[in-house]
Amino acid sequence: FVATQKLLGVESHELTYTFSPKDTLGVDIGIQGVSWSGCGSSGLDTNVVISVLPESDCEIILSITDLDQNISEFTDSVFIGSLHDWVDVQAGTYTMGRDILNPNDARQPHEVTLSKVFKIAKYETTWSQILWYLNYESGQGSISYDETNFLYINDIESFRDNNWMLENNGHYSVSLNGDSIPVSYVTYQFAVLYCNFLSRQAGLTELYDEITFEITDFTSKGYRLPTEAEWEWAARSADANDSYVYAGSNSLSDVIDTLQSKAGSIGGYQANALGIFDMTGNVKEWTSDFYGQTTVEAVTDPYIKGLYSMAAKGGGYDSLTDELFWITSADKLDAITANEDLGFRIILQNP
């Protein structure tokens, strides 16, 4: 055979091949051996299992020898796409924050320069996107519903009731709308560990220390949460002249359902000028920054280290005030918080 596999929406894929050679009369004559090469793997075995990394485009050559010493060669071309849709964000300088008195955490205006390009996920991370990680950690015995565990997912019955996630003997699957519903009930630490997991599986650099949960590498290629400054720059469509109150609009109803009582499908409302959806509303989003006082001085590539009280951006459907939906505002949340309207989106550093 010659097969072409194009797999989009997965971060990795395991290819398994089975063979049943038959003679001209259709009688099974058995296999003596199989050799293969390609996609960064090679071997000699009748059981061929090959793991292909994300964003790979490769060719596998299979050579099969049957018990009659006949040798047959087959080719399988494989393309593995990305789990996330990405939007390119250019470097630039802008005024972060908003010059207005606001009791709900609007940041003081100050000049920020972001010196590096990055890619940001077009949509908030969904339940289906974390399945690979959940099932991996479940196999390692790391999943817990105890608040002291950094892989804590709060109120599992709630998302079961909403038909987003199913669990059976430690194996997770998504039901109904899980492909399009943003993940919630996850702690800051869960989001960090998910990012490191994606980097590890893709052969990239893990950007976080898993004890302090701080970013330790800003130069290597890998996955992480945006800093607060990166998040706001992306919400402003990487445009220093963007003065919208919300991401892409001055009208809240353009970007969220103001009557929403639970997380809705991603991409359901107006995107900003860069084509990024739901940076206002749906679920509020963890950033990598400790919630600290912002400076009024000009800064380059700011990052506020820390843990416990983290900055979340964008507002969630359960946010109580309009100001929390402003792109210039930030919510102060304990890192172990796991609310029903709290999720995240990721960036690809040094793409």
Side-chain angles (χ1 to χ4, degrees):
F1 66 84
V2 176
T4 300
Q5 301 191 48
K6 294 193 175 183
L7 304 164
L8 302 175
V10 294
E11 285 289 348
S12 180
H13 186 66
E14 193 171 80
L15 305 174
T16 303
Y17 298 89
T18 57
F19 310 96
S20 300
K22 303 180 185 301
D23 63 18
T24 56
L25 297 177
V27 178
D28 192 340
I29 54 177
I31 296 174
Q32 179 173 308
V34 176
S35 63
W36 74 90
S37 62
C39 295
S41 180
S42 62
L44 179 64
D45 200 331
T46 54
N47 296 314
V48 183
V49 180
I50 301 171
S51 292
V52 185
L53 292 176
E55 300 184 26
S56 299
D57 190 355
C58 57
E59 187 174 80
I60 299 170
I61 307 297
L62 300 148
S63 182
I64 298 122
T65 304
D66 64 31
L67 293 181
D68 288 343
Q69 302 302 306
N70 298 309
I71 299 176
S72 302
E73 192 170 273
F74 306 97
T75 300
D76 192 2
S77 297
V78 183
F79 172 78
I80 305 296
S82 175
L83 182 64
H84 296 270
D85 292 318
W86 298 107
V87 174
D88 293 320
V89 181
Q90 299 303 312
T93 298
Y94 74 107
T95 299
M96 181 178 176
R98 190 177 186 193
D99 190 11
I100 188 170
L101 292 176
N102 171 31
N104 289 299
D105 305 317
R107 313 308 250 161
Q108 292 296 313
H110 58 289
E111 183 179 283
V112 169
T113 297
L114 297 175
S115 65
K116 303 180 183 71
V117 301
F118 60 93
K119 291 180 182 290
I120 191 167
K122 187 175 185 177
Y123 305 105
E124 293 166 328
T125 302
T126 65
W127 287 105
S128 61
Q129 287 170 330
I130 69 166
L131 271 183
W132 185 29
Y133 176 53
L134 279 181
N135 284 319
Y136 172 85
E137 291 294 348
S138 180
Q140 302 295 309
S142 301
I143 295 294
S144 170
Y145 305 112
D146 176 356
E147 286 192 42
T148 63
N149 188 298
F150 288 150
L151 290 174
Y152 170 64
I153 298 179
N154 191 15
D155 198 0
I156 190 154
E157 290 302 327
S158 288
F159 62 72
R160 281 180 179 166
D161 290 345
N162 284 286
N163 296 314
W164 297 334
M165 183 74 73
L166 299 172
E167 184 268 335
N168 183 22
N169 294 323
H171 181 80
Y172 294 86
S173 60
V174 168
S175 64
L176 292 182
N177 295 327
D179 283 343
S180 62
I181 299 296
V183 67
S184 56
Y185 301 104
V186 290
T187 63
Y188 167 76
Q189 292 95 332
F190 179 97
V192 163
L193 294 173
Y194 173 77
C195 290
N196 267 4
F197 173 79
L198 290 186
S199 295
R200 198 160 57 241
Q201 295 300 315
L204 304 178
T205 301
E206 296 177 39
L207 303 180
Y208 289 98
D209 182 293
E210 294 191 358
I211 296 176
T212 65
F213 292 92
E214 295 174 352
I215 301 170
T216 57
D217 187 334
F218 280 96
T219 59
S220 300
K221 185 175 182 178
Y223 299 101
R224 61 174 173 84
L225 303 174
T227 64
E228 190 177 346
E230 289 167 338
W231 188 99
E232 187 170 325
W233 179 234
R236 292 177 181 270
S237 302
D239 181 356
N241 296 316
D242 184 313
S243 59
Y244 288 127
V245 176
Y246 313 109
S249 180
N250 284 322
S251 174
L252 190 59
S253 61
D254 285 343
V255 291
I256 69 168
D257 177 357
T258 55
L259 300 177
Q260 193 173 349
S261 61
K262 63 180 181 179
S265 296
I266 56 173
Y269 283 82
Q270 179 179 304
N272 69 5
L274 275 184
I276 309 170
F277 289 87
D278 301 319
M279 295 202 81
T280 295
N282 215 358
V283 294
K284 54 177 103 52
E285 301 173 15
W286 287 116
T287 71
S288 286
D289 277 16
F290 176 75
Y291 184 97
Q293 292 298 319
T294 56
T295 179
V296 294
E297 305 296 327
V299 290
T300 298
D301 299 326
Y303 166 54
I304 306 176
K305 289 185 176 182
L307 190 57
Y308 304 115
S309 294
M310 308 304 294
K313 300 282 279 184
Y317 66 84
D318 207 31
S319 292
L320 298 178
T321 64
D322 176 83
E323 290 89 347
L324 287 174
F325 293 107
W326 296 354
I327 59 176
T328 51
S329 295
D331 223 343
K332 180 181 179 181
L333 298 172
D334 289 342
I336 61 169
T337 302
N339 290 342
E340 62 183 355
D341 68 339
L342 175 59
F344 63 95
R345 82 175 68 220
I346 67 173
I347 72 168
L348 178 60
Q349 174 180 290
N350 191 25

